[in-house]
Amino acid sequence: ILTVSIGAADMLPRESSARIRDSVLKNYDRSIVSSANWASQFKDAFAIGSGEEDEGRPSVAKFAAHYIALPWKLIFACVPPTDFCGGWLCFVCALIAIGVVTMIIND
């Protein structure tokens, strides 16, 4: 048997809406940072070399290594950063990416 009782709320509507607004804004700010982190993963995947500014022009060997590793870099750039879902989304996607790489190399 289900009993439903409706009573007066403990908080005023203004306090409740302010708490909800603060929670939404906090999560929004966190999602902006997370998206920026994810975008930087793709920028880093396309970068040649270690990314230091004072290196000068990369050597032919660095160009060759970059283009050979580019597919693997892009596969793992699709793995979201640990900012999402407490790191669990990153963990699961990393396991899937490792499985995909293993399947590609195995064939």
Side-chain angles (χ1 to χ4, degrees):
I1 296 179
L2 175 67
T3 304
V4 178
S5 60
I6 300 174
D10 292 340
M11 290 189 288
L12 296 173
R14 287 184 185 160
E15 293 172 356
S16 176
S17 65
R19 190 181 75 201
I20 292 171
R21 184 195 62 203
D22 291 342
S23 174
V24 167
L25 289 178
K26 181 174 125 184
N27 289 336
Y28 177 74
D29 292 341
R30 190 180 305 157
S31 70
I32 293 296
V33 170
S34 300
S35 297
N37 288 344
W38 206 345
S40 71
Q41 287 180 194
F42 282 97
K43 290 176 189 171
D44 292 342
F46 283 108
I48 297 174
S50 63
E52 295 178 13
E53 296 294 328
D54 58 355
E55 275 187 22
R57 183 165 171 80
S59 65
V60 175
K62 281 193 179 183
F63 273 110
H66 169 72
Y67 287 114
I68 290 171
L70 188 61
W72 313 119
K73 289 180 179 182
L74 292 176
I75 288 173
F76 285 99
C78 293
V79 174
T82 57
D83 301 331
F84 295 104
C85 300
W88 284 104
L89 186 61
C90 174
F91 177 72
V92 170
C93 290
L95 285 179
I96 292 170
I98 291 169
V100 167
V101 169
T102 304
M103 185 177 65
I104 291 170
I105 291 175
N106 197 19
D107 286 338

